[in-house]
Amino acid sequence: MSSKTIFSKSFGLNRPRTSSPYLSLTSPITRNTLHSLKKRFNAVRSKYPQELEWPATSNSVLTEEDLRPRAAVLVPLCNVNGRPGLLLEVRGQLRNHGGEVSFPGGKVDPTDKSHLAAALREANEELGIDPAQVEILGSLAPPQISLRGLRVFPYIGFVHSQIPNAGFEAKSGDAPLPSFSMSSIRPSFPEVAHAFHLPLGDIADLDQKERLRVHSFRNQAPYWSIDVTDKVSEAPGLTWADASGIDEVGGSDRPGKLEVWGLTGWYINILMQWLDVYH
């Protein structure tokens, strides 16, 4: 047993499993996969209390927590080059969180009809993803509080390569869904410096590049932070440091390394737990 494994277990973490009963970590997502994921996410989500929707009605009994400012993020799942994974963005030159990796998202506006509507609006504004391309699979729970005091609601959605047409459901359920083209992404500069695809196999560290490092969420719960430095350095003529205008990852003790950590890392860990990969 390696020292890394011993260290992980001492913090309540084990090395990720190499497969999931709900989808392949390396083969393209299919229509049947989406049905399986919806069923799984709904089953797990039902174990948590239902959150008060937005906006609150006049009959709602509001607590202090309900009155906290809210934000919503989209956890975009998609096939890229035949591999399933997540779309992530590197934040640009912002007052807060510059240079960090995050999901598309932001504050819920008074004009948003729901938390989900806010997440889809932000994904469209930040990455140019048409809301009609996104098939919602479920929501992660429970929502967490960001360092800025926002209650953040995450929604998992599969991003199709194009808007599904009327004959979409009639296609074979086992056929791979078309890959999303990263060239269709339109990052909103300077808010978003770069967008990239992180394959599920890499999140599970199947390539054994030792991407995972034990981190502590809010100094309480252990989780895996994920090294994605190579994913951004692969972008022609662009590095995360140059694009964001900062020299190191906020909150990281490894200068020059870009990691998925904090609330984004925590939500990825929750997702991988629901998929029975992290445990």
Side-chain angles (χ1 to χ4, degrees):
M1 181 180 294
S2 69
S3 59
K4 185 176 182 67
T5 302
I6 294 174
F7 177 76
S8 300
K9 284 191 173 182
S10 69
F11 281 84
L13 293 175
N14 296 293
R15 293 293 294 175
R17 297 186 176 98
T18 57
S19 63
S20 165
Y22 306 104
L23 82 172
S24 169
L25 299 180
T26 56
S27 298
I29 290 171
T30 67
R31 164 53 51 186
N32 286 344
T33 305
L34 296 184
H35 287 313
S36 174
L37 292 177
K38 288 179 181 179
K39 184 177 180 180
R40 170 60 175 170
F41 295 151
N42 182 64
V44 180
R45 183 65 180 82
S46 65
K47 299 178 182 179
Y48 294 87
Q50 294 300 309
E51 298 292 336
L52 187 67
E53 248 306 341
W54 174 274
T57 67
S58 58
N59 296 325
S60 301
V61 178
L62 301 178
T63 66
E64 182 177 351
E65 192 62 30
D66 292 328
L67 296 174
R68 182 187 293 274
R70 299 179 176 207
V73 297
L74 181 67
V75 181
L77 185 66
C78 63
N79 293 326
V80 171
N81 296 326
R83 301 180 69 188
L86 299 174
L87 289 179
L88 292 160
E89 60 185 43
V90 182
R91 309 297 283 177
Q93 297 180 7
L94 302 174
R95 181 182 305 174
N96 299 293
H97 308 298
E100 294 180 6
V101 178
S102 71
F103 292 120
K107 290 185 67 174
V108 179
D109 290 342
T111 55
D112 290 319
K113 295 182 178 180
S114 64
H115 299 130
L116 174 57
L120 293 173
R121 173 182 56 77
E122 289 284 350
N124 178 254
E125 292 175 357
E126 295 179 5
L127 298 179
I129 297 174
D130 190 322
Q133 287 179 255
V134 183
E135 184 171 347
I136 297 301
L137 307 179
S139 61
L140 292 174
Q144 298 292 330
I145 308 301
S146 74
L147 294 178
R148 296 175 60 194
L150 299 172
R151 197 173 191 189
V152 182
F153 293 80
Y155 293 88
I156 314 162
F158 182 79
V159 183
H160 290 277
S161 61
Q162 58 186 3
I163 298 174
N165 56 35
F168 177 70
E169 287 286 353
K171 295 182 179 179
S172 171
D174 292 324
L177 293 172
S179 288
F180 178 81
S181 174
M182 292 300 294
S183 63
S184 68
I185 293 288
R186 297 292 181 266
S188 176
F189 296 105
E191 182 179 3
V192 178
H194 181 56
F196 65 98
H197 178 251
L198 181 60
L200 295 182
D202 291 349
I203 299 175
D205 203 29
L206 297 184
D207 56 6
Q208 296 185 344
K209 289 187 176 180
E210 301 298 330
R211 295 182 181 277
L212 306 181
R213 186 168 69 111
V214 177
H215 219 81
S216 177
F217 185 68
R218 305 291 190 261
N219 294 319
Q220 294 180 343
Y223 74 102
W224 293 113
S225 63
I226 308 166
D227 186 341
V228 294
T229 309
D230 61 318
K231 297 301 177 183
V232 176
S233 62
E234 291 172 358
L238 174 69
T239 67
W240 66 270
D242 293 338
S244 64
I246 63 174
D247 298 323
E248 62 184 28
V249 183
S252 174
D253 57 7
R254 299 199 296 174
K257 292 291 185 180
L258 182 61
E259 294 182 326
V260 187
W261 66 287
L263 191 53
T264 302
W266 178 258
Y267 280 149
I268 290 179
N269 275 246
I270 296 299
L271 172 63
M272 297 301 279
Q273 288 173 21
W274 287 18
L275 295 175
D276 283 345
V277 177
Y278 286 4
H279 58 111

